[in-house]
Amino acid sequence: MPVTYDMPLYRPPSEGPNLIIQATLGCSFNRCTFCSMYRTKTYVEREPDQVFADIDTAAADWPQAHRGFLADGDALGLDCGRLHAILDHLGEHFRDLARVSVYATPKNLLDKSVDELAALKRAGLSLVYLGIESGATPILKKIRKGASQKTLAQALERAFEAGLKVSATVILGLGGRADWRQHIEGTAELVNQAPPTYLSTLELGLEEGAAADFMAAQKAPFEFQDDAAILAEQALLLSLLEPSRPVIFRSNHASNSLALAGNLPRDRERLLAQLGAARAGAIPLR
């Protein structure tokens, strides 16, 4: 009998084929204006026996699972004792489990010390998904991210020092027509200062449940970027990125009009050439 989930259930695209266990429901922050994922949910830290029961059920159904994801929006917000208990239970029931990942907010990472995060790494947590969205503090304030460039850099560096891999996402178009340069320049500054393991770009798209809130928080008319402007943002971002550590770069999310993949800074010129070809019409957009 498969695990029964509290819907809606969200996970990163790469976690689709993997074991998913809901350690929490909803998102503890849930105030970002662009996001409607958990607006129908109240944040709940599930009781350990409920989580363990789901792990037991999943193990009976799929004992050979080798990757797992702890849902919902920011299960890293659980205290370390609960997280260790969940990771231990997973390890006992899934002998082939090579990776456990989780969504995280900047606050989740900053609320735990490097030593605590490193202990979670040793217990089996290996990857955190962190939406940085933008590196420009004024943009972050407009979208009510609850973070600044400084706190995002601190969160990224804390994860790095603990040995955790970070998959970070940036939303192209988030600054609109008026503030796109500020958005991109601030984002490049952040990534150069505190490089994540993986960096992915998405393109801004607002679901009905978030559109009104997003617009109201702008405090000025917001004009969406068209495909040509989004490609210009991507080109500027790549041209400015000089990370101090190698970064695996992707723009293959379904929202992207142009799929790119490479390692930075090594493949920057190739990626910029692909962007140039797309902007000239030689490569079709999705």
Side-chain angles (χ1 to χ4, degrees):
M1 180 179 177
V3 174
T4 300
Y5 294 109
D6 185 294
M7 304 302 283
L9 177 68
Y10 292 95
R11 78 307 184 266
S14 60
E15 299 293 338
N18 301 336
L19 170 71
I20 300 177
I21 298 294
Q22 284 180 303
T24 60
L25 304 180
C27 172
S28 66
F29 186 70
N30 209 22
R31 293 193 287 279
C32 298
T33 63
F34 61 88
C35 179
S36 60
M37 286 167 57
Y38 300 108
R39 295 195 179 207
T40 61
K41 284 189 171 186
T42 299
Y43 178 72
V44 173
E45 296 183 353
R46 298 184 71 211
E47 292 298 325
D49 60 345
Q50 295 175 316
V51 181
F52 296 160
D54 281 354
I55 293 172
D56 296 345
T57 298
D61 186 54
W62 190 17
Q64 70 275 23
H66 69 283
R67 287 187 173 185
F69 175 74
L70 298 180
D72 270 343
D74 61 329
L76 193 64
L78 289 171
D79 66 53
C80 289
R82 284 201 183 189
L83 285 167
H84 276 284
I86 292 169
L87 292 168
D88 289 346
H89 206 77
L90 282 167
E92 290 167 5
H93 288 74
F94 295 92
R95 297 299 182 181
D96 297 326
L97 201 62
R99 186 183 90 181
V100 178
S101 56
V102 64
Y103 278 135
T105 66
K107 185 176 185 298
N108 293 158
L109 289 165
L110 293 175
D111 280 347
K112 292 176 171 59
S113 69
V114 171
D115 288 345
E116 287 173 327
L117 292 171
L120 291 171
K121 168 71 164 51
R122 292 192 295 272
L125 181 67
S126 39
L127 172 68
V128 297
Y129 293 93
L130 178 68
I132 61 177
E133 329 309 354
S134 176
T137 297
I139 303 295
L140 292 165
K141 286 182 178 179
K142 285 182 182 179
I143 62 171
R144 297 184 193 142
K145 180 66 184 177
S148 64
Q149 185 188 92
K150 180 179 179 180
T151 56
L152 281 169
Q154 290 171 339
L156 286 161
E157 282 301 290
R158 186 160 299 187
F160 174 75
E161 290 172 23
L164 291 170
K165 293 180 179 179
V166 177
S167 180
T169 50
V170 168
I171 302 177
L172 300 176
L174 202 55
R177 232 175 248 191
D179 297 320
W180 73 273
R181 283 189 173 274
Q182 179 186 53
H183 167 46
I184 296 302
E185 289 170 357
T187 300
E189 191 174 70
L190 169 65
V191 174
N192 288 340
Q193 179 183 354
T197 317
Y198 307 95
L199 178 68
S200 300
T201 56
L202 296 74
E203 293 186 20
L204 179 64
L206 300 175
E207 294 186 356
E208 188 175 342
D213 196 20
F214 179 88
M215 291 299 185
Q218 292 295 314
K219 298 182 172 56
F222 182 89
E223 294 183 78
F224 286 88
Q225 295 278 65
D226 59 17
D227 282 343
I230 290 292
L231 293 179
E233 289 194 19
Q234 187 80 280
L236 180 60
L237 178 63
L238 287 171
S239 70
L240 293 174
L241 285 178
E242 290 282 358
S244 55
R245 300 184 291 267
V247 172
I248 299 170
F249 176 79
R250 298 288 185 270
S251 68
N252 55 1
H253 185 268
S255 65
N256 291 113
S257 58
L258 178 67
L260 297 170
N263 292 345
L264 296 173
R266 185 189 70 191
D267 298 325
R268 182 175 58 187
E269 295 309 314
R270 173 177 62 79
L271 295 171
L272 285 170
Q274 288 179 256
L275 269 164
R279 297 174 74 182
I283 297 177
L285 301 183
R286 299 196 296 191

